[in-house]
């Protein structure tokens, strides 16, 4: 069995309110990167350790620099590839996000812009992150069953997923939809 990385993106906020984007190959594994990033003092973002001697795993070479957060979402986040995203504010606080891809297994192979970043509770990162991961998986499984029973078309199913995930904002979660996510076309 081949083990693949649980890839994450790390967006460091600059003092001008824009962001630099970096890659972390194992960054989503057990949400451990959240604690590692929080241990790094602001202004020293590329210290190779988290203060305990463990590597943070963030590639110091940026994927993008000096970008708006909206531009990062539109141009650089691939929900099909990444499992998590961490936003590190200038004060050093870390906001983790689950990357939820709206593609349906067995039907969608290339839909990298169709998904959402869903805010994870930074005080309970692993528990809440895994809860959300399971919630998305369950929602996708139920939606896929409706597609297989010809109750929903693929575009309508993807729109339904986007609408449901977007509704989690009402629970106090931050939800950023990707550029191809359409939450409005599922009730037609």
């Amino acid at each position: 069995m081949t083990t693949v990385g649980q890839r994450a993106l790390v967006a460091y906020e600059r003092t001008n309110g824009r962001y630099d984007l970096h890659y972390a190959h194992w960054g989503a594994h057990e949400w451990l990167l959240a604690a590692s990033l929080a241990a790094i003092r602001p202004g020293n973002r590329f210290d190779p350790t988290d203060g305990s001697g463990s590597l943070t795993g963030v590639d110091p070479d940026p994927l993008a620099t000096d970008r708006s957060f909206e531009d990062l979402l539109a141009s650089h986040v691939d929900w099909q590839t990444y499992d998590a995203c961490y936003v590190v504010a200038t004060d050093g606080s870390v906001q983790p996000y689950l990357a939820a891809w709206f593609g349906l297994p067995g039907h969608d192979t290339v839909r990298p812009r169709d998904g959402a970043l869903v805010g994870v509770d930074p005080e309970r990162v692993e528990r809440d992150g895994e809860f959300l991961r399971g919630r998305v998986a369950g929602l996708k499984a139920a939606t896929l069953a409706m597609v297989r029973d010809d109750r929903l078309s693929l575009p309508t199913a993807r729109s339904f997923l986007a609408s449901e995930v977007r509704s989690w904002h009402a629970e106090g979660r931050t939800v950023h939809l990707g550029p191809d996510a359409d939450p409005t076309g599922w009730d037609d």
Side-chain angles (χ1 to χ4, degrees):
M1 177 179 198
T2 303
T3 303
V4 296
Q6 292 182 319
R7 300 176 183 121
L9 294 171
V10 180
Y12 291 101
E13 185 180 22
R14 305 175 112 196
T15 56
N16 64 0
R18 296 173 67 83
Y19 295 85
D20 294 342
L21 188 67
H22 294 260
Y23 171 76
H25 190 68
W26 286 100
H29 180 68
E30 296 179 357
W31 298 92
L32 296 174
L33 188 56
S36 297
L37 291 169
I40 298 172
R41 293 190 180 126
N44 196 16
R45 65 177 71 162
F46 300 117
D47 179 347
T49 69
D50 64 4
S52 69
S54 298
L55 295 176
T56 62
V58 178
D59 187 339
D61 295 325
L63 299 172
T65 59
D66 197 24
R67 303 291 174 92
S68 69
F69 193 72
E70 294 75 23
D71 180 52
L72 293 179
L73 290 174
S75 303
H76 297 284
V77 178
D78 178 343
W79 283 269
Q80 195 170 353
T81 299
Y82 297 105
D83 298 301
C85 180
Y86 301 91
V87 176
V88 182
T90 55
D91 67 1
S93 62
V94 178
Q95 174 58 60
Y97 290 92
L98 172 73
W101 179 51
F102 298 152
L104 295 170
H107 296 276
D108 293 320
T109 55
V110 181
R111 295 194 60 84
R113 318 270 2 105
D114 200 357
L117 292 181
V118 182
V120 175
D121 183 347
E123 301 299 317
R124 306 174 320 122
V125 177
E126 185 175 5
R127 180 181 290 179
D128 194 44
E130 291 310 305
F131 166 76
L132 281 175
R133 208 176 295 240
R135 190 174 179 187
V136 169
L139 181 61
K140 285 178 72 168
T143 304
L144 184 58
M146 290 190 284
V147 168
R148 288 183 177 150
D149 285 348
D150 292 324
R151 292 177 171 195
L152 290 177
S153 67
L154 285 172
T156 301
R158 286 188 293 270
S159 186
F160 171 73
L161 289 170
S163 177
E164 285 298 304
V165 171
R166 182 181 69 175
S167 76
W168 298 348
H169 180 70
E171 300 169 11
R173 294 189 186 277
T174 300
V175 177
H176 298 283
L177 292 177
D180 291 351
D182 174 18
T184 63
W186 73 275
D187 57 356
D188 49 296

